[in-house]
Amino acid sequence: MQTELADFIRGTPEGDEAEEVLRRCVHCGFCTATCPTYQVLGDELDGPRGRIYLMKQALEGKEVTASTRMHLDRCLTCRNCESTCPSGVEYGRLVDVGRKVVEERAPRPWTERVMRGLLKEGLTSPIFGPAMKLGQRLRPLLPAVLRNKVPERRATKAWPTATHARKVIVLEGCVQPAMQPNIGIATARVLDAVGVQAVRAEGAGCCGAIRYHLSDHDGGLADMKRNIDAWWPRVEAGAEAIVIDASGCGAMVKEYGRKLRLDAAYAEKAKRISELTLDLAEYLPRFGSALADKLGTLPFSKLVFHPPCTLQHGQQVRGAVEGLLTALGAEVRLPPNSHLCCGSAGTYSVLHPQIAYRLRDDKLRAIQTVEPQAIVSANIGCIVHLQSGTTTPVRHWIEIVEEALASRT
């Protein structure tokens, strides 16, 4: 696709990045067939091809309107289009640049600015944890729109205390420890069982995805640098990997090297951090036989796995969770149309609830054709979003493994 960038962005790092992506697009339309929002809304401008044209026009200096911004906002950033594209168009890179440019040229009304500001500051704030605990106590009294975002309270398990020669860094993040702390604890307990110590680094927090994807690039980059500073002493001390059990965070941390490539103080460190980062489903299978020997009975034998978009499209990790759980004795199936987004997509389900719940319900209908005892996934957002629409248990897959481990001890 030929482009002629406007003076305001020509020759800048963002402009060069956007132009590189735009030139790969041949406008074939394969992406449209797998775009969840296009399937729901049926509008060309709510599919990747139409959004690419909108961003191209904005980057070439043509008029940008609230309608332009709306169509870009409706994108889930699921990156399914990247998995489909025969030309290798990295849509996720383009939409980060395009959204920021559009937002600068077509400022939002104050109501939207306030809502987005509350999300990016509130979800990453230290007070989010206490607020979530209060919400869980009051959950029966909350209106449905809030109750759907507050998971039921469960007794918190203990973090393992043993030390091991083999150590990995784990990212607790911002939302998961407040909403479902047992996910991170289950990760640490399973790693402990195979002789690996999960190390939490003081000072680390949000991976940067919340701010970055809400077009606060400076804030997102600051989150990334803070994490690098917190992790670096552990890296220098010999941590063998950064293991992440929230696929949304993992997808972002694997991008640190690219996003900070022009920062002289952080470029090399960021590159090393990204190289060390693995999703838990990439790391744990290397201990498969040792882990299987320690397991008791799985709490559910018939599972359906919902692969988060950030795992299958963002990180391009497929089959790892299903393979591990199958090797450990579970019957695991993927639902029909497993490539499609469930509608959670970070803050999307808050900002665009109608589309998000339509996608959730479509996903759950597909899942129920498999008739599972439980649904498992690999990202906190998907887990909470899906559970809000079903009575079937929705869990992180590592919790299933940890409960089987606990049943043996």
Side-chain angles (χ1 to χ4, degrees):
M1 182 181 290
Q2 288 190 330
T3 58
E4 186 62 40
L5 298 186
D7 290 342
F8 75 89
I9 199 164
R10 184 187 300 121
T12 66
E14 294 82 5
D16 291 344
E17 183 173 28
E19 187 169 32
E20 178 190 348
V21 178
L22 283 169
R23 288 186 181 278
R24 292 184 187 174
C25 180
V26 297
H27 205 59
C28 67
F30 284 1
C31 56
T32 303
T34 58
C35 175
T37 51
Y38 177 78
Q39 292 188 17
V40 170
L41 299 170
D43 188 330
E44 172 74 9
L45 296 179
D46 285 311
R49 183 169 59 181
R51 292 183 178 118
I52 286 173
Y53 261 121
L54 291 175
M55 288 184 279
K56 178 180 181 292
Q57 290 175 338
L59 293 166
E60 290 180 334
K62 297 181 174 62
E63 183 184 12
V64 173
T65 67
S67 177
T68 307
R69 192 181 63 241
M70 176 191 70
H71 289 297
L72 295 187
D73 282 351
R74 284 177 177 171
C75 173
L76 293 144
T77 325
C78 68
R79 297 169 66 179
N80 198 346
C81 52
E82 292 186 23
S83 296
T84 307
C85 181
S87 302
V89 174
E90 295 178 276
Y91 175 88
R93 294 171 58 190
L94 178 63
V95 79
D96 280 340
V97 176
R99 279 174 167 161
K100 189 170 186 293
V101 168
V102 167
E103 190 154 335
E104 289 169 350
R105 300 188 63 208
R108 297 179 182 279
W110 71 269
T111 51
E112 291 185 21
R113 295 199 302 272
V114 168
M115 172 60 77
R116 293 163 76 89
L118 287 172
L119 286 171
K120 71 181 183 180
E121 298 304 328
L123 294 175
T124 60
S125 169
I127 68 171
F128 181 68
M132 180 56 62
K133 288 181 179 178
L134 177 61
Q136 288 174 325
R137 289 193 178 95
L138 300 177
R139 192 173 185 276
L141 305 177
L142 296 177
V145 66
L146 291 178
R147 190 165 60 248
N148 286 345
K149 301 301 177 187
V150 179
E152 292 184 4
R153 194 176 182 187
R154 303 206 314 259
T156 304
K157 297 183 178 181
W159 191 277
T161 57
T163 59
H164 300 284
R166 299 185 69 171
K167 293 178 172 59
V168 297
I169 300 166
V170 291
L171 171 64
E172 293 185 282
C174 49
V175 172
Q176 183 172 285
M179 300 182 84
Q180 294 197 1
N182 281 334
I183 295 174
I185 294 168
T187 295
R189 288 163 70 97
V190 172
L191 290 173
D192 176 63
V194 295
V196 178
Q197 184 177 350
V199 178
R200 296 175 287 188
E202 185 177 352
C206 178
C207 66
I210 289 177
R211 289 188 172 89
Y212 203 89
H213 293 318
L214 287 171
S215 296
D216 180 7
H217 289 193
D218 290 341
L221 293 173
D223 287 338
M224 298 174 202
K225 293 175 186 179
R226 182 206 57 231
N227 286 344
I228 292 171
D229 289 340
W231 293 335
W232 198 249
R234 304 286 188 178
V235 171
E236 291 185 312
E240 63 183 71
I242 300 169
V243 176
I244 300 180
D245 55 20
S247 62
C249 297
M252 177 55 79
V253 178
K254 287 182 178 182
E255 291 278 299
Y256 278 18
R258 185 177 64 80
K259 294 192 183 303
L260 290 166
R261 69 193 183 283
L262 301 178
D263 189 305
Y266 282 90
E268 288 302 316
K269 289 181 178 180
K271 180 174 179 288
R272 180 62 179 147
I273 291 296
S274 291
E275 290 170 347
L276 285 171
T277 299
L278 295 170
D279 187 87
L280 180 61
E282 295 177 283
Y283 182 75
L284 194 58
R286 64 186 67 178
F287 305 98
S289 58
L291 180 59
D293 291 341
K294 295 178 180 292
L295 294 187
T297 304
L298 292 167
F300 305 101
S301 60
K302 187 177 180 181
L303 304 170
V304 65
F305 176 58
H306 162 63
C309 299
T310 44
L311 188 65
Q312 62 174 325
H313 305 307
Q315 299 187 56
Q316 295 289 308
V317 174
R318 299 184 180 90
V321 174
E322 306 96 289
L324 178 62
L325 291 175
T326 299
L328 297 178
E331 178 189 341
V332 186
R333 296 181 63 182
L334 292 173
N337 294 325
S338 62
H339 61 286
L340 292 178
C341 182
C342 70
S344 173
T347 58
Y348 190 94
S349 62
V350 177
L351 296 170
H352 304 278
Q354 286 186 313
I355 300 173
Y357 287 129
R358 164 74 181 274
L359 291 170
R360 180 201 68 180
D361 293 344
D362 289 347
K363 176 68 66 174
L364 288 170
R365 276 192 290 271
I367 285 173
Q368 290 307 323
T369 64
V370 182
E371 298 182 344
Q373 293 174 323
I375 303 164
V376 292
S377 192
N379 194 58
I380 180 64
C382 301
I383 292 166
V384 173
H385 187 58
L386 290 173
Q387 189 67 85
S388 70
T390 182
T391 57
T392 302
V394 185
R395 309 288 293 281
H396 194 291
W397 65 267
I398 194 62
E399 294 183 280
I400 306 301
V401 177
E402 191 276 329
E403 288 181 23
L405 182 70
S407 74
R408 177 82 173 264
T409 57

